[in-house]
């Protein structure tokens, strides 16, 4: 008994849609949006227009989806070599290169036009810059050439802070730049623990992530250094944006936990612990909690403002 062509086509349709959605890496997009909306609340010093929030999120989803799609196309050769990424649509052949490039191009145009017409021109320009920084700067120029790839390539992931602020104000203010730097210094201690956990994958694909090029102690020291700077920068937002007790307490408490976990990782490395025994994913998972909690405080502090003096 053979399967009817109509039934096969019906099943293939949703699977194809799922493949294109997978190209955009939705889980990464979720994290980017977490840093967009709170900045809008801070820029407004209250609750921004619901329509503006929805419009900015829609543009951000299209923009991030475009950047991630181009990344998926370019990295399909190394994705094939890594267990963690071997089932991605560009590797399995569910989506062709031509289809993916066309899809990425459509998302790029759609996000830019959407931002320009519905939000503002500055947000559109920042969105387009973010796509270029990730698709070209990180993916094509840095990722395969230097162990500092995620440091400078991570700038693309900082752009939502500027986009969120510009969507409300039509400009880029100092609070947005401080939060940009928070994400900049957060990215290495967020991503390097993941790279430590999947070191063999990156090594087999010849991607020079820092944990591939350097030992656990060196990586641990770098993680600790970036963690301390990240926390210091997060506290700089207090005077710059006149933040109150709520944000200050959250930034100090969550930052202290982050630094403590970074030091735990370094101590384990100094004892000679290697690989997954270092438990690097503990810091990776906490780093996501950290950025979520801190940016939630960024949004809530203007609403329940308790001035420090």
């Amino acid at each position: 008994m053979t399967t009817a062509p109509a039934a096969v086509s019906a099943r293939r349709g949703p699977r194809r849609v799922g493949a294109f959605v997978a190209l955009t890496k939705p889980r990464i997009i979720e994290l980017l949006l977490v840093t967009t909306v709170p900045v809008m609340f801070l820029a407004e010093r209250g609750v921004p227009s619901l329509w503006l929030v929805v419009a900015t999120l829609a543009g951000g989803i299209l923009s991030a989806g475009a950047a991630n799609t181009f990344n998926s196309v370019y990295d399909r050769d190394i994705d094939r070599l890594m267990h963690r990424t071997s089932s991605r649509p560009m590797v399995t052949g569910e989506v062709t290169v031509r289809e993916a490039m066309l899809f990425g191009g459509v998302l790029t145009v759609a996000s830019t036009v959407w931002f320009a017409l519905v939000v503002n021109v500055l947000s559109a320009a920042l969105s387009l810059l973010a796509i270029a920084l990730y698709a070209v700067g990180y993916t094509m120029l840095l990722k395969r050439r230097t162990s500092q790839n995620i440091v400078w390539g991570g700038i693309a992931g900082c752009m939502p802070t500027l986009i969120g602020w510009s969507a409300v104000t039509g400009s880029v203010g100092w609070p947005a730049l401080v939060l940009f730097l928070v994400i900049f210094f957060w990215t290495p201690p967020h991503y390097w623990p993941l790279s430590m956990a999947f070191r063999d994958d990156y090594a087999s694909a010849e991607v020079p992530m820092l944990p591939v090029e350097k030992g656990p102690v060196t990586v641990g020291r770098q993680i600790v250094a970036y963690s301390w700077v990240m926390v210091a920068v997060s506290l700089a937002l207090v005077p710059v944006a006149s933040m109150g007790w709520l944000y200050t307490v959250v930034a100090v408490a969550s930052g202290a936990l982050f630094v403590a976990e970074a030091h735990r990782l370094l101590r384990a490395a100094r004892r000679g612990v290697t690989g997954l025994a270092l438990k690097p994913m503990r810091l990776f998972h906490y780093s996501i909690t950290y950025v979520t909690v801190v940016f939630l405080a960024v949004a809530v502090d203007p609403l329940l403002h308790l001035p420090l003096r």
Side-chain angles (χ1 to χ4, degrees):
M1 181 177 179
T2 59
T3 304
V8 173
S9 178
R11 287 199 301 268
R12 189 169 183 270
R15 194 164 64 236
R16 284 274 287 170
V17 171
F20 279 99
V21 170
L23 286 178
T24 68
K25 302 180 183 178
R27 293 184 68 181
I28 294 178
I29 292 177
E30 288 175 13
L31 196 56
L32 294 175
L33 299 182
V34 162
T35 62
T36 303
V37 177
V39 179
M40 298 179 72
F41 276 71
L42 181 60
E44 186 69 33
R45 300 303 300 193
V47 181
S49 159
L50 178 59
W51 164 245
L52 182 61
V53 171
V54 171
T56 304
L57 288 178
I61 290 170
L62 293 172
S63 176
N68 289 331
T69 296
F70 291 133
N71 172 268
S72 295
V73 174
Y74 192 80
D75 278 355
R76 64 191 185 280
D77 58 332
I78 59 176
D79 283 348
R80 184 174 289 107
L81 301 174
M82 298 193 290
H83 177 73
R84 184 171 66 91
T85 57
S86 60
S87 61
R88 287 179 175 172
M90 295 304 302
V91 177
T92 61
E94 292 176 89
V95 180
T96 67
V97 171
R98 183 176 180 278
E99 289 171 335
M101 288 298 291
L102 179 62
F103 181 57
V106 168
L107 291 179
T108 300
V109 173
S111 64
T112 306
V113 171
W114 175 266
F115 268 121
L117 295 181
V118 181
V119 183
N120 57 51
V121 173
L122 178 57
S123 296
L126 292 171
S127 167
L128 189 59
L129 177 60
I131 295 172
L133 285 171
Y134 189 71
V136 179
Y138 171 66
T139 302
M140 298 178 67
L141 300 180
L142 294 171
K143 184 173 182 178
R144 308 186 192 207
R145 288 180 171 86
T146 172
S147 61
Q148 295 298 300
N149 47 22
I150 200 62
V151 176
W152 301 107
I155 290 176
C158 306
M159 296 300 288
T161 61
L162 305 186
I163 293 171
W165 186 275
S166 68
V168 173
T169 67
S171 64
V172 174
W174 284 109
L177 292 172
V178 171
L179 290 170
F180 176 99
L181 290 175
V182 169
I183 298 301
F184 178 81
F185 289 110
W186 167 85
T187 302
H190 162 68
Y191 201 86
W192 281 335
L194 179 70
S195 303
M196 294 174 85
F198 292 96
R199 181 190 178 281
D200 292 343
D201 262 4
Y202 285 112
S204 65
E206 299 183 351
V207 178
M209 290 296 178
L210 187 65
V212 174
E213 300 290 295
K214 304 292 182 179
V217 173
T218 299
V219 177
R221 287 190 187 123
Q222 291 281 317
I223 287 174
V224 165
Y226 274 96
S227 299
W228 274 103
V229 176
M230 175 198 71
V231 173
V233 173
S234 74
L235 295 177
L237 187 67
V238 176
V240 169
S242 299
M243 305 302 284
W245 278 106
L246 190 150
Y247 172 81
T248 303
V249 170
V250 169
V252 169
S254 58
L257 288 173
F258 197 115
V259 168
E261 185 61 27
H263 277 281
R264 178 205 63 80
L265 185 66
L266 176 58
R267 286 196 301 271
R270 283 174 170 164
R271 292 198 305 269
V273 180
T274 59
L276 292 177
L278 281 166
K279 298 181 180 178
M281 293 301 286
R282 269 180 49 172
L283 180 54
F284 172 77
H285 290 304
Y286 177 68
S287 69
I288 296 173
T289 301
Y290 169 83
V291 81
T292 302
V293 169
V294 167
F295 273 79
L296 180 61
V298 167
V300 175
D301 191 272
L303 304 178
L304 304 174
H305 189 63
L306 301 172
L308 293 177
R309 60 180 180 179

